């Protein structure tokens, strides 16, 4: 046994690594012989602001303390004096279970904007490369970590954080999102304390019930004011995040991929790459934080042709037909859809070989001979002839036991020897990390996309992963996610004009990583407008509205049985990527006319709704609202939703603090052509003027006193346009 080395303080002088954006600053204290120490992540500091002394010079050791102070580092490690959550947990056949960085190299990628920290542990024989990039336009920090095994033996990794973030001790609350199928983005608010706050997901996809991100607040934070922090793991699989109180009164926040046993097993020379962490902060409350996330995601959405075209109004056939799709009725629906202004027609489930219900045929991706004996070409031509794009539903990662594919290749399903196959929605999961399975899927989709002018794919993923074993018996959760990304990329490369929607049973795969490959997410299988209000408000904390699938559904809603009027259903769907999910043929003429009016209004507003800021708020009387418009607050649209009956005699005004105090605005209520049935109980002269030519109002008054709202029935909406004069 070797003789232990005496503990010594770092010998290298401190180098301060500083990243700045418009409104935030990150400061690390780097020494050549240890991991960088966290000094600051918060609101923007003046240029040149640096710590006055090394951190340890400011921290006298308390009683019963180790003789060597170990503050929070960029990669806190287990076993050598750090007793908090570690950024890395690993070993070599039970040995080398403790790690500590012995060398640190700072490599600037872009001065003051992006840096790579090369951190080596010469004893445990590994290297951690941590990349940090702070974007000036969005104030968003994008970070990731790569672990390399420098030793001769296998390194087993149990946990590797994408990044460890510091949070100030004044943080008091964490806001996260739970939920389930048809009830996603359910806001959870927990106090921060000395207890560890943790969320873990092991479902194999992003999940409906455990969103991989959160918002941390400081006292007094509101929608529009106060310091808040946010982070999101850009990853479509298992994940974990935790917030832990530290003994200097601060907190550490870690996010990373949750690794199944064996998934972090690294051969000599092998690497493990974490997902990207997307983190930001704002002094402008939740709305400021949302604006940062929206800006970052928008800058990296991979649109066909490089730019987003106006988001086309979209009809999906699912709740109109379910599996009962046949050329005649589908063509009739397409004709009716075009007549009300639909621009994209998407044929959902039920079109492929022997697909008559959810118990068979997944994997057999060719048109059903009994429904479409001549293929889909005639239907696609009919849809295109009506001036609409054609889209098609697939669920490529799944297979039914009752299918030609499974009968030919039962070994292609994820499975564990000796364990029963567990179905979900009567389906199994294909091991698409197998090249032959991925090639099969690409071949089937590519053939249809090559043969027909299909411009849109609705890509579903309707179950969690269980018995997720690869061909060699190892766990395949992360392999499945990377294989899905690779299949997306391969298909996009072959057909760059095609847009892809990430559906996943509604909200099961919504994250920044899947949106590096896709162009829309289906926010929830619940189209009940009242439920959708909260779902969409939670979604908008992280994601912009133009990729939020939002449909006008049936009444009563299929998932809840509740009924709302056409106006409320349409108004709730309006600010997202508008779609329709009902059989237009069965609407009476008044409802058809009203739906056409809402579609026309969406086309009038979509550039404003989908390119600017989104602000959200609420009053004390059952009204929630969102405002869309340009950053300069010159052209805005307010959508106010009354979600429950009023408890006030007079509806409280909506304060709009983002308006310019020295400006005047023309304020006008918008109502679509064909609207029928008044939502307002009573009226007053001001509201008559708003519904007419509009009213000129002072920005300062609207910001501080607020915009009056009419007294209205529950489950109604008021839409107002504000233009700076």
């Amino acid at each position: 046994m070797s003789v232990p080395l005496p503990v010594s303080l770092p010998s290298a002088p401190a180098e301060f690594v500083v990243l700045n954006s418009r409104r935030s600053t990150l400061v690390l204290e780097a020494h050549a012989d240890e991991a960088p120490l966290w000094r600051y992540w918060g609101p923007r500091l003046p240029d040149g602001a640096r710590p006055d002394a090394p951190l340890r010079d400011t921290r006298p050791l308390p009683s019963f303390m180790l003789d060597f102070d170990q503050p929070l580092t960029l990669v806190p490690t287990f076993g050598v004096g750090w007793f908090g959550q570690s950024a890395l947990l690993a070993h070599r056949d039970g040995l080398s279970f403790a790690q500590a960085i012995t060398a640190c190299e700072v490599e600037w990628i872009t001065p003051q904007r992006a840096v790579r920290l090369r951190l080596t542990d010469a004893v445990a024989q590994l290297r951690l490369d941590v990349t940090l990039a702070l974007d000036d336009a969005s104030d968003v920090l994008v970070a990731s970590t790569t672990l390399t095994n420098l030793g001769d033996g296998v390194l087993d990794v149990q946990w590797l954080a994408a990044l460890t973030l510091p949070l100030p001790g004044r943080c008091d609350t964490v806001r996260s999102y739970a939920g389930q199928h048809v009830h996603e983005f359910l806001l959870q608010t927990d106090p921060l304390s000395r207890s560890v706050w943790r969320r873990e997901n092991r479902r194999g996809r992003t999940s409906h019930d455990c969103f991989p991100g959160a918002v941390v607040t400081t006292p007094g934070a509101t929608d529009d004011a106060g310091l808040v922090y946010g982070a999101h793991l850009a990853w479509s699989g298992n994940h974990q995040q935790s917030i832990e109180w530290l003994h200097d009164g601060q907190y550490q926040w870690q996010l990373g991929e949750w690794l199944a046993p064996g998934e972090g097993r690294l051969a000599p020379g092998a690497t493990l790459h974490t997902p990207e962490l997307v983190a930001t902060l704002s002094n402008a409350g939740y709305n400021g934080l949302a604006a940062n996330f929206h800006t970052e995601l928008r800058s990296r959405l991979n649109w066909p042709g490089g730019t987003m075209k106006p988001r086309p109004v979209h009809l999906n056939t699912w709740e109109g037909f379910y599996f009962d799709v046949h050329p005649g009725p589908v063509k009739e629906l397409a004709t009716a859809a075009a007549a009300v202004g639909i621009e994209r027609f998407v044929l959902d489930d039920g079109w492929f070989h022997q697909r008559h219900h959810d118990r068979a045929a997944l994997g057999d991706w060719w048109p059903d001979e009994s429904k479409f004996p001549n293929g889909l070409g005639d239907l696609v031509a009919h849809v295109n002839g009506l001036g609409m794009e054609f889209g098609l539903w697939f669920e490529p990662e799944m297979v039914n036991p009752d299918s030609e594919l499974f009968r030919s290749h039962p070994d292609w399903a994820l499975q564990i020897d000796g364990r029963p196959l567990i179905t979900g929605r009567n389906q199994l999961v294909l091991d698409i990390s197998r090249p032959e399975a991925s090639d099969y899927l690409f071949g089937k989709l590519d053939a249809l996309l090559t043969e027909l002018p299909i411009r849109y794919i609705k890509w579903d993923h309707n179950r969690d992963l269980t018995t997720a074993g690869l061909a060699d018996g190892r766990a395949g959760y992360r392999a499945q996610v990377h294989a899905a990304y690779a299949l997306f990329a391969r298909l996009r490369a072959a057909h760059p004009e095609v847009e892809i929607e990430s559906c996943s049973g509604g909200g099961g795969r919504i994250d920044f990583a899947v949106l590096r490959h896709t162009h829309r997410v289906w926010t929830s299988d619940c189209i009940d407008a009242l439920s959708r209000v909260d779902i969409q408000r939670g979604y908008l904390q992280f994601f912009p509205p133009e990729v939020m699938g939002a449909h006008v559904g049936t009444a009563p809603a299929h998932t809840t049985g509740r009924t709302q009027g056409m106006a409320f259903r349409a108004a709730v769907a309006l600010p997202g990527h508008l779609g329709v999910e009902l059989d237009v043929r069965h609407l009476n003429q008044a409802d058809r006319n009203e739906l056409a009016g809402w579609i026309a209004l969406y086309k009038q507003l979509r550039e404003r709704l989908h390119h600017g800021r989104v602000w959200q708020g609420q009053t004390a009387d059952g009204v929630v609202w969102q405002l869309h418009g340009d950053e300069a607050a010159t052209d805005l649209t307010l959508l106010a939703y009354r979600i429950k009956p009023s408890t006030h005699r007079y509806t409280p005004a909506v304060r709009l603090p983002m308006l310019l105090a020295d400006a005047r605005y023309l304020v006008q209520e918008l109502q679509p052509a064909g609207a029928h049935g008044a939502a307002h109980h009573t009226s007053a002269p001001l509201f008559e003027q708003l519904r007419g030519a509009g009213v000129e109002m002072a920005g300062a008054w609207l910001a501080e006193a607020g915009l009056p709202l009419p007294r209205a029935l529950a489950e109604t909406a008021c839409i107002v346009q504000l233009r700076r004069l």
Side-chain angles (χ1 to χ4, degrees), residues 528-551:
D528 178 306
L530 190 60
S531 295
R532 269 296 187 118
V533 169
D534 282 343
I535 292 169
Q536 293 178 182
R537 285 171 66 80
Y539 165 97
L540 288 169
Q541 180 64 73
F542 292 87
F543 306 94
E546 62 269 24
V547 294
M548 179 178 74
H551 291 184

mmCIF file of all heavy atoms in Angstrom, residues 528-551:
data_model
loop_
_atom_site.group_PDB
_atom_site.id
_atom_site.type_symbol
_atom_site.label_atom_id
_atom_site.label_comp_id
_atom_site.label_asym_id
_atom_site.label_seq_id
_atom_site.Cartn_x
_atom_site.Cartn_y
_atom_site.Cartn_z
ATOM 1 N N ASP A 528 -59.565 19.881 -24.261
ATOM 2 C CA ASP A 528 -60.508 20.651 -23.456
ATOM 3 C C ASP A 528 -59.889 22.026 -23.213
ATOM 4 O O ASP A 528 -58.810 22.148 -22.623
ATOM 5 C CB ASP A 528 -60.766 19.923 -22.138
ATOM 6 C CG ASP A 528 -61.700 20.671 -21.196
ATOM 7 O OD1 ASP A 528 -61.424 21.849 -20.908
ATOM 8 O OD2 ASP A 528 -62.680 20.069 -20.735
ATOM 9 N N ALA A 529 -60.556 23.075 -23.665
ATOM 10 C CA ALA A 529 -59.957 24.407 -23.619
ATOM 11 C C ALA A 529 -59.669 24.868 -22.201
ATOM 12 O O ALA A 529 -58.660 25.542 -21.945
ATOM 13 C CB ALA A 529 -60.866 25.408 -24.329
ATOM 14 N N LEU A 530 -60.529 24.525 -21.257
ATOM 15 C CA LEU A 530 -60.299 24.955 -19.878
ATOM 16 C C LEU A 530 -59.049 24.288 -19.314
ATOM 17 O O LEU A 530 -58.233 24.939 -18.649
ATOM 18 C CB LEU A 530 -61.520 24.631 -19.029
ATOM 19 C CG LEU A 530 -61.531 25.222 -17.614
ATOM 20 C CD1 LEU A 530 -61.460 26.737 -17.647
ATOM 21 C CD2 LEU A 530 -62.777 24.762 -16.855
ATOM 22 N N SER A 531 -58.870 23.000 -19.562
ATOM 23 C CA SER A 531 -57.649 22.321 -19.133
ATOM 24 C C SER A 531 -56.433 22.887 -19.851
ATOM 25 O O SER A 531 -55.360 23.037 -19.263
ATOM 26 C CB SER A 531 -57.754 20.817 -19.413
ATOM 27 O OG SER A 531 -58.762 20.210 -18.642
ATOM 28 N N ARG A 532 -56.620 23.205 -21.124
ATOM 29 C CA ARG A 532 -55.501 23.678 -21.928
ATOM 30 C C ARG A 532 -54.939 25.019 -21.441
ATOM 31 O O ARG A 532 -53.768 25.309 -21.653
ATOM 32 C CB ARG A 532 -55.930 23.805 -23.390
ATOM 33 C CG ARG A 532 -55.689 22.563 -24.235
ATOM 34 C CD ARG A 532 -54.194 22.266 -24.340
ATOM 35 N NE ARG A 532 -53.925 21.183 -25.262
ATOM 36 C CZ ARG A 532 -53.200 21.312 -26.374
ATOM 37 N NH1 ARG A 532 -52.691 22.488 -26.704
ATOM 38 N NH2 ARG A 532 -52.967 20.268 -27.132
ATOM 39 N N VAL A 533 -55.756 25.836 -20.805
ATOM 40 C CA VAL A 533 -55.253 27.136 -20.333
ATOM 41 C C VAL A 533 -54.040 26.932 -19.427
ATOM 42 O O VAL A 533 -52.976 27.523 -19.639
ATOM 43 C CB VAL A 533 -56.358 27.926 -19.608
ATOM 44 C CG1 VAL A 533 -55.771 29.140 -18.900
ATOM 45 C CG2 VAL A 533 -57.436 28.374 -20.597
ATOM 46 N N ASP A 534 -54.159 26.095 -18.398
ATOM 47 C CA ASP A 534 -53.040 25.868 -17.477
ATOM 48 C C ASP A 534 -51.909 25.101 -18.140
ATOM 49 O O ASP A 534 -50.730 25.380 -17.886
ATOM 50 C CB ASP A 534 -53.523 25.116 -16.235
ATOM 51 C CG ASP A 534 -54.245 26.018 -15.243
ATOM 52 O OD1 ASP A 534 -54.094 27.253 -15.340
ATOM 53 O OD2 ASP A 534 -54.970 25.489 -14.386
ATOM 54 N N ILE A 535 -52.238 24.106 -18.958
ATOM 55 C CA ILE A 535 -51.198 23.335 -19.646
ATOM 56 C C ILE A 535 -50.333 24.261 -20.488
ATOM 57 O O ILE A 535 -49.095 24.208 -20.445
ATOM 58 C CB ILE A 535 -51.839 22.227 -20.507
ATOM 59 C CG1 ILE A 535 -52.484 21.148 -19.627
ATOM 60 C CG2 ILE A 535 -50.799 21.592 -21.437
ATOM 61 C CD1 ILE A 535 -53.346 20.163 -20.394
ATOM 62 N N GLN A 536 -50.973 25.120 -21.256
ATOM 63 C CA GLN A 536 -50.228 26.001 -22.147
ATOM 64 C C GLN A 536 -49.469 27.080 -21.374
ATOM 65 O O GLN A 536 -48.371 27.490 -21.791
ATOM 66 C CB GLN A 536 -51.176 26.612 -23.173
ATOM 67 C CG GLN A 536 -51.729 25.560 -24.129
ATOM 68 C CD GLN A 536 -52.728 26.084 -25.154
ATOM 69 O OE1 GLN A 536 -53.267 25.319 -25.942
ATOM 70 N NE2 GLN A 536 -52.977 27.384 -25.169
ATOM 71 N N ARG A 537 -49.998 27.543 -20.250
ATOM 72 C CA ARG A 537 -49.272 28.529 -19.452
ATOM 73 C C ARG A 537 -47.978 27.923 -18.896
ATOM 74 O O ARG A 537 -46.937 28.581 -18.867
ATOM 75 C CB ARG A 537 -50.161 29.051 -18.315
ATOM 76 C CG ARG A 537 -51.232 30.015 -18.789
ATOM 77 C CD ARG A 537 -52.228 30.351 -17.691
ATOM 78 N NE ARG A 537 -51.612 31.091 -16.595
ATOM 79 C CZ ARG A 537 -51.358 32.391 -16.608
ATOM 80 N NH1 ARG A 537 -51.656 33.109 -17.679
ATOM 81 N NH2 ARG A 537 -50.826 32.995 -15.564
ATOM 82 N N GLY A 538 -48.038 26.667 -18.441
ATOM 83 C CA GLY A 538 -46.824 26.018 -17.983
ATOM 84 C C GLY A 538 -45.830 25.803 -19.104
ATOM 85 O O GLY A 538 -44.625 26.040 -18.948
ATOM 86 N N TYR A 539 -46.323 25.370 -20.242
ATOM 87 C CA TYR A 539 -45.476 25.166 -21.414
ATOM 88 C C TYR A 539 -44.732 26.452 -21.788
ATOM 89 O O TYR A 539 -43.526 26.436 -22.079
ATOM 90 C CB TYR A 539 -46.358 24.689 -22.573
ATOM 91 C CG TYR A 539 -45.727 24.758 -23.936
ATOM 92 C CD1 TYR A 539 -45.137 23.645 -24.513
ATOM 93 C CD2 TYR A 539 -45.723 25.948 -24.667
ATOM 94 C CE1 TYR A 539 -44.554 23.715 -25.769
ATOM 95 C CE2 TYR A 539 -45.138 26.029 -25.913
ATOM 96 C CZ TYR A 539 -44.555 24.914 -26.463
ATOM 97 O OH TYR A 539 -43.962 24.986 -27.700
ATOM 98 N N LEU A 540 -45.438 27.582 -21.799
ATOM 99 C CA LEU A 540 -44.856 28.847 -22.261
ATOM 100 C C LEU A 540 -43.774 29.385 -21.331
ATOM 101 O O LEU A 540 -43.044 30.308 -21.702
ATOM 102 C CB LEU A 540 -45.956 29.891 -22.443
ATOM 103 C CG LEU A 540 -46.874 29.678 -23.650
ATOM 104 C CD1 LEU A 540 -48.081 30.607 -23.572
ATOM 105 C CD2 LEU A 540 -46.123 29.898 -24.960
ATOM 106 N N GLN A 541 -43.620 28.822 -20.146
ATOM 107 C CA GLN A 541 -42.510 29.232 -19.287
ATOM 108 C C GLN A 541 -41.171 28.890 -19.923
ATOM 109 O O GLN A 541 -40.170 29.565 -19.675
ATOM 110 C CB GLN A 541 -42.622 28.568 -17.918
ATOM 111 C CG GLN A 541 -41.514 28.931 -16.939
ATOM 112 C CD GLN A 541 -41.509 30.404 -16.564
ATOM 113 O OE1 GLN A 541 -42.356 30.871 -15.825
ATOM 114 N NE2 GLN A 541 -40.546 31.166 -17.086
ATOM 115 N N PHE A 542 -41.149 27.863 -20.768
ATOM 116 C CA PHE A 542 -39.892 27.417 -21.371
ATOM 117 C C PHE A 542 -39.890 27.497 -22.898
ATOM 118 O O PHE A 542 -38.831 27.720 -23.488
ATOM 119 C CB PHE A 542 -39.603 25.965 -20.960
ATOM 120 C CG PHE A 542 -39.298 25.792 -19.504
ATOM 121 C CD1 PHE A 542 -40.307 25.598 -18.583
ATOM 122 C CD2 PHE A 542 -37.987 25.847 -19.046
ATOM 123 C CE1 PHE A 542 -40.028 25.448 -17.231
ATOM 124 C CE2 PHE A 542 -37.700 25.709 -17.701
ATOM 125 C CZ PHE A 542 -38.713 25.509 -16.786
ATOM 126 N N PHE A 543 -41.037 27.309 -23.541
ATOM 127 C CA PHE A 543 -41.074 27.119 -24.991
ATOM 128 C C PHE A 543 -41.918 28.197 -25.656
ATOM 129 O O PHE A 543 -42.946 28.605 -25.117
ATOM 130 C CB PHE A 543 -41.656 25.742 -25.331
ATOM 131 C CG PHE A 543 -40.951 24.595 -24.649
ATOM 132 C CD1 PHE A 543 -41.421 24.097 -23.449
ATOM 133 C CD2 PHE A 543 -39.809 24.031 -25.204
ATOM 134 C CE1 PHE A 543 -40.784 23.045 -22.808
ATOM 135 C CE2 PHE A 543 -39.163 22.982 -24.574
ATOM 136 C CZ PHE A 543 -39.644 22.486 -23.379
ATOM 137 N N PRO A 544 -41.551 28.636 -26.865
ATOM 138 C CA PRO A 544 -42.300 29.697 -27.535
ATOM 139 C C PRO A 544 -43.582 29.180 -28.181
ATOM 140 O O PRO A 544 -43.722 27.983 -28.463
ATOM 141 C CB PRO A 544 -41.306 30.197 -28.596
ATOM 142 C CG PRO A 544 -40.439 29.011 -28.901
ATOM 143 C CD PRO A 544 -40.320 28.259 -27.604
ATOM 144 N N PRO A 545 -44.533 30.067 -28.464
ATOM 145 C CA PRO A 545 -45.861 29.625 -28.908
ATOM 146 C C PRO A 545 -45.903 29.034 -30.305
ATOM 147 O O PRO A 545 -46.798 28.239 -30.605
ATOM 148 C CB PRO A 545 -46.697 30.903 -28.828
ATOM 149 C CG PRO A 545 -45.709 32.021 -28.952
ATOM 150 C CD PRO A 545 -44.469 31.521 -28.270
ATOM 151 N N GLU A 546 -44.971 29.410 -31.185
ATOM 152 C CA GLU A 546 -45.066 28.951 -32.569
ATOM 153 C C GLU A 546 -44.828 27.457 -32.740
ATOM 154 O O GLU A 546 -45.169 26.879 -33.781
ATOM 155 C CB GLU A 546 -44.094 29.733 -33.464
ATOM 156 C CG GLU A 546 -42.624 29.579 -33.127
ATOM 157 C CD GLU A 546 -42.123 30.622 -32.154
ATOM 158 O OE1 GLU A 546 -42.957 31.178 -31.388
ATOM 159 O OE2 GLU A 546 -40.917 30.902 -32.160
ATOM 160 N N VAL A 547 -44.246 26.789 -31.730
ATOM 161 C CA VAL A 547 -44.069 25.337 -31.810
ATOM 162 C C VAL A 547 -45.020 24.608 -30.871
ATOM 163 O O VAL A 547 -44.876 23.411 -30.628
ATOM 164 C CB VAL A 547 -42.603 24.926 -31.532
ATOM 165 C CG1 VAL A 547 -41.693 25.433 -32.634
ATOM 166 C CG2 VAL A 547 -42.123 25.412 -30.176
ATOM 167 N N MET A 548 -46.011 25.307 -30.358
ATOM 168 C CA MET A 548 -46.994 24.742 -29.430
ATOM 169 C C MET A 548 -48.241 24.332 -30.206
ATOM 170 O O MET A 548 -49.050 25.169 -30.612
ATOM 171 C CB MET A 548 -47.356 25.766 -28.354
ATOM 172 C CG MET A 548 -48.393 25.282 -27.346
ATOM 173 S SD MET A 548 -48.746 26.511 -26.055
ATOM 174 C CE MET A 548 -49.742 27.709 -26.964
ATOM 175 N N GLY A 549 -48.411 23.023 -30.434
ATOM 176 C CA GLY A 549 -49.616 22.549 -31.092
ATOM 177 C C GLY A 549 -50.829 22.826 -30.226
ATOM 178 O O GLY A 549 -50.913 22.378 -29.091
ATOM 179 N N ALA A 550 -51.794 23.592 -30.764
ATOM 180 C CA ALA A 550 -52.980 24.002 -30.005
ATOM 181 C C ALA A 550 -54.178 23.916 -30.941
ATOM 182 O O ALA A 550 -54.245 24.651 -31.934
ATOM 183 C CB ALA A 550 -52.808 25.422 -29.466
ATOM 184 N N HIS A 551 -55.118 23.013 -30.641
ATOM 185 C CA HIS A 551 -56.205 22.726 -31.565
ATOM 186 C C HIS A 551 -57.568 23.139 -31.020
ATOM 187 O O HIS A 551 -57.798 23.110 -29.808
ATOM 188 C CB HIS A 551 -56.251 21.231 -31.887
ATOM 189 C CG HIS A 551 -55.096 20.758 -32.712
ATOM 190 N ND1 HIS A 551 -54.989 19.464 -33.170
ATOM 191 C CD2 HIS A 551 -54.000 21.405 -33.178
ATOM 192 C CE1 HIS A 551 -53.876 19.332 -33.869
ATOM 193 N NE2 HIS A 551 -53.262 20.499 -33.882
#
